Amino acid sequence: MSPATPPTEPFAASTWRLIIDDEPRTGMANMAIDQAVAEACAAGESLPTLRFYRWDPPAVSVGRHQFISDIDLEAVEARGYDIVRRTTGGRAILHTDELTYSVAGPDVDPRLSGGVMEAYLRLSNALVLGLQRLGLRDVEKAGGHVRAGPDVSAACFEDPSAYEIVVGGRKLMGSAQSRRARHVLQHGSLPLTGDVTRLVDVLVLDEATRAQLRQDLAAHACTLASALGVDDAVPEVGFRHVADIMAGAFADELTLVLKPATLSPAELRRSAQLIREQFANASWTNYR
Protein backbone atom coordinates (compact mmCIF):
# COMPACT_ATOMS: atom_id res chain seq x y z
CA MET A 1 0.00 0.00 0.00
CA SER A 2 1.25 3.48 -0.79
CA PRO A 3 2.38 5.61 2.15
CA ALA A 4 -0.17 8.15 3.34
CA THR A 5 0.91 11.60 2.21
CA PRO A 6 -0.68 15.02 2.37
CA PRO A 7 -1.87 16.60 -0.87
CA THR A 8 0.67 18.81 -2.56
CA GLU A 9 0.14 22.30 -3.90
CA PRO A 10 0.40 22.67 -7.68
CA PHE A 11 3.72 23.97 -8.95
CA ALA A 12 4.17 27.16 -10.92
CA ALA A 13 5.28 26.33 -14.46
CA SER A 14 9.02 25.98 -14.92
CA THR A 15 11.37 25.09 -17.76
CA TRP A 16 13.67 22.08 -17.38
CA ARG A 17 16.06 20.55 -19.83
CA LEU A 18 15.27 17.14 -21.37
CA ILE A 19 18.11 14.89 -22.54
CA ILE A 20 17.31 11.54 -24.15
CA ASP A 21 20.54 9.71 -24.90
CA ASP A 22 19.72 7.44 -27.83
CA GLU A 23 23.27 6.05 -27.86
CA PRO A 24 24.19 3.92 -24.81
CA ARG A 25 27.24 4.84 -22.74
CA THR A 26 29.58 3.04 -20.38
CA GLY A 27 28.79 2.84 -16.70
CA MET A 28 31.58 5.26 -15.78
CA ALA A 29 30.41 7.75 -18.40
CA ASN A 30 26.79 7.60 -17.24
CA MET A 31 27.67 8.16 -13.59
CA ALA A 32 30.11 10.94 -14.44
CA ILE A 33 27.55 12.71 -16.63
CA ASP A 34 24.91 12.55 -13.90
CA GLN A 35 27.38 14.15 -11.47
CA ALA A 36 28.58 16.77 -13.96
CA VAL A 37 25.01 17.79 -14.78
CA ALA A 38 24.09 18.04 -11.09
CA GLU A 39 27.08 20.29 -10.42
CA ALA A 40 26.22 22.51 -13.40
CA CYS A 41 22.63 22.82 -12.19
CA ALA A 42 23.75 23.80 -8.69
CA ALA A 43 26.02 26.47 -10.17
CA GLY A 44 23.19 27.89 -12.27
CA GLU A 45 25.04 27.00 -15.48
CA SER A 46 22.39 24.51 -16.65
CA LEU A 47 18.65 24.19 -16.27
CA PRO A 48 17.34 21.46 -13.98
CA THR A 49 17.63 18.34 -16.09
CA LEU A 50 15.64 15.19 -16.75
CA ARG A 51 17.79 12.63 -18.54
CA PHE A 52 17.01 9.16 -19.92
CA TYR A 53 19.85 6.82 -20.84
CA ARG A 54 21.14 3.28 -21.40
CA TRP A 55 24.32 1.31 -20.71
CA ASP A 56 26.78 -0.46 -23.02
CA PRO A 57 28.30 -2.77 -22.03
CA PRO A 58 25.92 -3.87 -19.27
CA ALA A 59 27.17 -2.64 -15.91
CA VAL A 60 26.93 -3.57 -12.27
CA SER A 61 26.59 -0.44 -10.18
CA VAL A 62 27.08 -0.56 -6.43
CA GLY A 63 25.82 1.93 -3.89
CA ARG A 64 28.12 4.63 -2.54
CA HIS A 65 28.78 2.79 0.75
CA GLN A 66 28.33 -0.82 -0.40
CA PHE A 67 31.35 -3.07 0.04
CA ILE A 68 32.91 -4.23 -3.22
CA SER A 69 33.35 -7.61 -1.52
CA ASP A 70 29.64 -8.21 -2.20
CA ILE A 71 30.51 -8.53 -5.90
CA ASP A 72 32.20 -11.47 -7.65
CA LEU A 73 34.61 -9.45 -9.79
CA GLU A 74 35.75 -12.48 -11.78
CA ALA A 75 32.14 -13.25 -12.71
CA VAL A 76 31.63 -9.62 -13.73
CA GLU A 77 34.70 -9.72 -15.98
CA ALA A 78 33.77 -13.09 -17.47
CA ARG A 79 30.41 -11.73 -18.59
CA GLY A 80 31.90 -8.58 -20.08
CA TYR A 81 30.14 -6.26 -17.64
CA ASP A 82 31.41 -2.91 -16.40
CA ILE A 83 31.49 -2.20 -12.69
CA VAL A 84 30.99 1.29 -11.31
CA ARG A 85 30.23 2.89 -7.96
CA ARG A 86 27.34 5.35 -7.79
CA THR A 87 27.42 8.60 -5.82
CA THR A 88 23.99 7.62 -4.45
CA GLY A 89 23.16 4.95 -1.93
CA GLY A 90 21.42 1.63 -2.23
CA ARG A 91 22.59 -1.81 -3.28
CA ALA A 92 23.88 -3.49 -6.42
CA ILE A 93 22.01 -3.25 -9.73
CA LEU A 94 22.72 -4.89 -13.07
CA HIS A 95 22.00 -2.28 -15.73
CA THR A 96 20.98 -4.02 -18.95
CA ASP A 97 17.85 -4.01 -21.08
CA GLU A 98 16.57 -1.01 -19.15
CA LEU A 99 15.72 2.66 -19.21
CA THR A 100 17.54 4.69 -16.59
CA TYR A 101 16.31 8.15 -15.61
CA SER A 102 18.10 10.87 -13.71
CA VAL A 103 16.83 14.15 -12.30
CA ALA A 104 19.35 16.80 -11.35
CA GLY A 105 18.77 20.30 -10.10
CA PRO A 106 19.45 22.85 -7.37
CA ASP A 107 18.12 22.00 -3.94
CA VAL A 108 16.03 25.20 -3.93
CA ASP A 109 13.84 24.03 -6.81
CA PRO A 110 10.40 23.44 -5.22
CA ARG A 111 10.15 20.01 -6.85
CA LEU A 112 13.41 18.97 -5.19
CA SER A 113 13.39 20.98 -1.98
CA GLY A 114 12.87 19.70 1.54
CA GLY A 115 14.13 16.32 2.64
CA VAL A 116 14.99 13.19 0.69
CA MET A 117 11.59 11.58 1.09
CA GLU A 118 9.67 14.74 0.16
CA ALA A 119 11.48 15.02 -3.17
CA TYR A 120 11.27 11.25 -3.62
CA LEU A 121 7.49 11.42 -3.34
CA ARG A 122 7.13 14.20 -5.92
CA LEU A 123 9.32 12.40 -8.45
CA SER A 124 7.65 9.04 -7.72
CA ASN A 125 4.28 10.59 -8.57
CA ALA A 126 5.63 11.44 -12.03
CA LEU A 127 7.04 7.94 -12.46
CA VAL A 128 3.71 6.34 -11.52
CA LEU A 129 1.83 8.55 -13.97
CA GLY A 130 4.22 7.57 -16.75
CA LEU A 131 3.83 3.88 -16.03
CA GLN A 132 0.06 4.24 -16.02
CA ARG A 133 0.25 5.88 -19.45
CA LEU A 134 2.37 2.95 -20.62
CA GLY A 135 -0.55 0.68 -19.81
CA LEU A 136 -0.01 -0.43 -16.22
CA ARG A 137 -3.02 -0.20 -13.95
CA ASP A 138 -1.98 -1.97 -10.75
CA VAL A 139 0.96 0.36 -10.15
CA GLU A 140 1.66 2.25 -6.93
CA LYS A 141 4.30 3.62 -4.62
CA ALA A 142 5.52 1.08 -2.08
CA GLY A 143 5.02 1.52 1.63
CA GLY A 144 7.67 0.47 4.08
CA HIS A 145 10.91 2.17 4.97
CA VAL A 146 14.36 2.93 3.67
CA ARG A 147 16.54 -0.23 3.62
CA ALA A 148 19.66 -0.15 5.76
CA GLY A 149 21.79 -2.36 7.97
CA PRO A 150 23.95 -5.47 7.69
CA ASP A 151 21.10 -7.87 6.96
CA VAL A 152 19.99 -6.12 3.79
CA SER A 153 20.55 -8.12 0.60
CA ALA A 154 23.33 -7.06 -1.77
CA ALA A 155 20.70 -6.96 -4.54
CA CYS A 156 18.81 -3.67 -4.88
CA PHE A 157 15.75 -5.18 -6.53
CA GLU A 158 15.03 -7.83 -3.89
CA ASP A 159 12.36 -5.71 -2.18
CA PRO A 160 10.94 -2.19 -2.44
CA SER A 161 11.70 0.72 -0.17
CA ALA A 162 9.35 3.62 0.55
CA TYR A 163 8.03 5.39 -2.58
CA GLU A 164 9.69 2.96 -4.98
CA ILE A 165 7.37 1.57 -7.62
CA VAL A 166 5.56 -1.77 -7.44
CA VAL A 167 3.13 -3.48 -9.79
CA GLY A 168 0.87 -6.13 -8.34
CA GLY A 169 3.13 -6.31 -5.32
CA ARG A 170 6.31 -6.82 -7.38
CA LYS A 171 9.05 -4.21 -7.51
CA LEU A 172 9.41 -2.55 -10.91
CA MET A 173 11.47 0.60 -10.29
CA GLY A 174 14.14 1.46 -7.76
CA SER A 175 15.67 4.90 -7.24
CA ALA A 176 18.40 6.50 -5.16
CA GLN A 177 19.04 10.13 -4.26
CA SER A 178 21.94 12.25 -3.08
CA ARG A 179 21.78 15.80 -1.74
CA ARG A 180 25.09 17.64 -1.43
CA ALA A 181 26.88 20.78 -2.57
CA ARG A 182 23.55 22.59 -3.21
CA HIS A 183 22.37 20.02 -5.74
CA VAL A 184 19.96 17.09 -5.78
CA LEU A 185 20.62 14.05 -7.93
CA GLN A 186 18.13 11.21 -8.17
CA HIS A 187 18.39 8.36 -10.61
CA GLY A 188 16.65 5.05 -11.00
CA SER A 189 16.18 2.00 -13.19
CA LEU A 190 13.19 0.72 -15.13
CA PRO A 191 13.94 -2.82 -16.37
CA LEU A 192 12.28 -3.08 -19.77
CA THR A 193 12.91 -6.71 -20.73
CA GLY A 194 14.96 -9.76 -19.87
CA ASP A 195 15.69 -11.80 -16.75
CA VAL A 196 15.58 -9.83 -13.50
CA THR A 197 17.59 -12.52 -11.71
CA ARG A 198 20.82 -12.10 -13.72
CA LEU A 199 22.40 -9.97 -11.01
CA VAL A 200 22.54 -13.03 -8.76
CA ASP A 201 25.24 -14.52 -11.00
CA VAL A 202 27.76 -11.82 -10.02
CA LEU A 203 27.17 -11.66 -6.26
CA VAL A 204 29.41 -13.40 -3.74
CA LEU A 205 27.03 -16.04 -2.37
CA ASP A 206 27.07 -19.70 -1.48
CA GLU A 207 25.02 -21.85 -3.81
CA ALA A 208 22.08 -22.31 -1.45
CA THR A 209 21.79 -18.55 -0.85
CA ARG A 210 22.20 -17.86 -4.56
CA ALA A 211 19.35 -20.21 -5.43
CA GLN A 212 17.11 -18.68 -2.76
CA LEU A 213 17.84 -15.12 -3.85
CA ARG A 214 17.19 -16.03 -7.48
CA GLN A 215 13.82 -17.44 -6.44
CA ASP A 216 13.03 -14.37 -4.34
CA LEU A 217 13.92 -11.95 -7.13
CA ALA A 218 11.81 -13.85 -9.65
CA ALA A 219 8.86 -13.68 -7.26
CA HIS A 220 9.23 -10.10 -6.04
CA ALA A 221 10.60 -8.13 -9.02
CA CYS A 222 9.55 -7.74 -12.65
CA THR A 223 10.28 -6.03 -15.95
CA LEU A 224 7.97 -3.66 -17.79
CA ALA A 225 7.35 -6.30 -20.45
CA SER A 226 6.36 -8.94 -17.91
CA ALA A 227 4.18 -6.47 -16.00
CA LEU A 228 2.37 -5.61 -19.24
CA GLY A 229 2.20 -9.24 -20.29
CA VAL A 230 3.86 -8.55 -23.65
CA ASP A 231 6.75 -10.00 -25.62
CA ASP A 232 10.17 -8.43 -25.03
CA ALA A 233 10.43 -7.40 -28.70
CA VAL A 234 7.31 -5.25 -28.96
CA PRO A 235 7.74 -1.48 -29.54
CA GLU A 236 5.71 -0.66 -26.42
CA VAL A 237 8.72 -1.59 -24.25
CA GLY A 238 11.34 0.02 -26.50
CA PHE A 239 13.66 2.58 -24.95
CA ARG A 240 12.64 5.61 -27.02
CA HIS A 241 8.90 4.95 -26.74
CA VAL A 242 9.12 4.57 -22.96
CA ALA A 243 11.35 7.66 -22.60
CA ASP A 244 8.90 9.82 -24.56
CA ILE A 245 5.93 8.67 -22.45
CA MET A 246 7.79 9.14 -19.17
CA ALA A 247 8.96 12.63 -20.20
CA GLY A 248 5.38 13.66 -20.88
CA ALA A 249 4.34 12.39 -17.46
CA PHE A 250 7.08 14.40 -15.72
CA ALA A 251 5.99 17.50 -17.62
CA ASP A 252 2.33 17.10 -16.66
CA GLU A 253 2.78 15.95 -13.06
CA LEU A 254 5.39 18.56 -12.17
CA THR A 255 4.09 21.43 -14.37
CA LEU A 256 7.19 21.53 -16.55
CA VAL A 257 8.08 22.77 -19.98
CA LEU A 258 10.75 20.30 -21.10
CA LYS A 259 13.30 21.77 -23.47
CA PRO A 260 15.05 19.09 -25.59
CA ALA A 261 18.80 19.60 -25.40
CA THR A 262 22.19 17.94 -25.29
CA LEU A 263 25.02 18.08 -22.80
CA SER A 264 26.94 21.34 -22.76
CA PRO A 265 30.66 21.42 -23.67
CA ALA A 266 31.45 22.26 -20.04
CA GLU A 267 29.48 19.24 -18.81
CA LEU A 268 31.28 16.98 -21.26
CA ARG A 269 34.65 18.30 -20.09
CA ARG A 270 33.71 17.89 -16.43
CA SER A 271 32.39 14.35 -16.99
CA ALA A 272 35.67 13.37 -18.70
CA GLN A 273 37.53 14.74 -15.68
CA LEU A 274 35.27 12.83 -13.28
CA ILE A 275 35.88 9.60 -15.17
CA ARG A 276 39.66 10.04 -14.88
CA GLU A 277 39.74 11.22 -11.29
CA GLN A 278 36.85 9.35 -9.70
CA PHE A 279 34.78 6.78 -11.54
CA ALA A 280 37.72 4.98 -13.22
CA ASN A 281 39.77 5.22 -10.03
CA ALA A 282 40.18 1.94 -8.14
CA SER A 283 40.28 3.77 -4.82
CA TRP A 284 36.70 4.95 -5.50
CA THR A 285 35.32 1.74 -6.95
CA ASN A 286 36.94 -0.77 -4.60
CA TYR A 287 35.49 0.52 -1.32
CA ARG A 288 35.91 -2.20 1.31
Side-chain angles (χ1 to χ4, degrees):
M1 178 177 293
S2 301
T5 54
T8 57
E9 295 296 324
F11 297 107
S14 182
T15 299
W16 280 20
R17 185 173 55 161
L18 172 65
I19 297 176
I20 301 179
D21 276 343
D22 287 308
E23 292 299 320
R25 301 177 188 265
T26 67
M28 288 181 286
N30 275 325
M31 294 300 89
I33 288 169
D34 276 356
Q35 183 64 28
V37 169
E39 291 175 2
C41 291
E45 298 167 357
S46 295
L47 290 170
T49 299
L50 171 63
R51 176 175 170 245
F52 296 105
Y53 57 92
R54 292 180 288 177
W55 310 64
D56 185 35
V60 176
S61 75
V62 294
R64 183 180 179 92
H65 299 295
Q66 183 176 8
F67 293 141
I68 198 68
S69 56
D70 287 343
I71 309 300
D72 184 337
L73 299 179
E74 290 185 0
V76 169
E77 183 177 4
R79 287 162 176 77
Y81 298 162
D82 276 352
I83 186 160
V84 66
R85 183 172 297 281
R86 304 187 301 271
T87 59
T88 55
R91 312 299 285 174
I93 303 171
L94 174 59
H95 302 278
T96 183
D97 305 324
E98 72 172 44
L99 173 144
T100 309
Y101 82 90
S102 66
V103 170
D107 56 13
V108 295
D109 187 292
R111 296 155 186 81
L112 304 175
S113 63
V116 171
M117 299 312 294
E118 293 170 276
Y120 226 81
L121 169 61
R122 300 178 194 120
L123 300 180
S124 292
N125 288 339
L127 295 170
V128 167
L129 178 60
L131 292 168
Q132 289 171 340
R133 290 179 176 179
L134 285 163
L136 295 175
R137 293 293 172 262
D138 190 16
V139 55
E140 62 182 352
K141 301 181 291 292
H145 54 278
V146 176
R147 295 180 301 271
D151 297 328
V152 173
S153 167
C156 188
F157 269 75
E158 184 182 7
D159 56 13
S161 184
Y163 296 143
E164 293 184 324
I165 309 302
V166 298
V167 179
R170 295 189 297 167
K171 181 173 176 176
L172 178 59
M173 291 194 73
S175 299
Q177 185 184 127
S178 66
R179 308 177 70 88
R180 56 178 58 91
R182 297 183 291 114
H183 70 249
V184 176
L185 170 63
Q186 180 170 309
H187 46 202
S189 299
L190 172 57
L192 300 175
T193 61
D195 178 4
V196 295
T197 73
R198 285 173 287 183
L199 174 66
V200 175
D201 296 330
V202 297
L203 299 180
V204 175
L205 301 167
D206 61 68
E207 287 309 309
T209 304
R210 188 184 307 279
Q212 184 61 57
L213 181 55
R214 192 185 306 277
Q215 181 178 332
D216 290 345
L217 281 170
H220 298 133
C222 63
T223 65
L224 178 62
S226 63
L228 289 170
V230 300
D231 185 88
D232 283 358
V234 302
E236 288 79 4
V237 293
F239 170 81
R240 186 67 195 219
H241 172 75
V242 175
D244 287 341
I245 296 296
M246 297 298 283
F250 268 85
D252 291 343
E253 177 65 29
L254 301 178
T255 323
L256 296 172
V257 176
L258 292 176
K259 180 180 179 181
T262 58
L263 297 167
S264 71
E267 288 167 337
L268 289 170
R269 289 192 297 271
R270 176 57 175 157
S271 64
Q273 179 186 15
L274 285 165
I275 290 172
R276 292 192 306 271
E277 297 179 358
Q278 180 172 342
F279 293 102
N281 191 321
S283 65
W284 167 259
T285 304
N286 296 334
Y287 175 78
R288 298 180 186 276

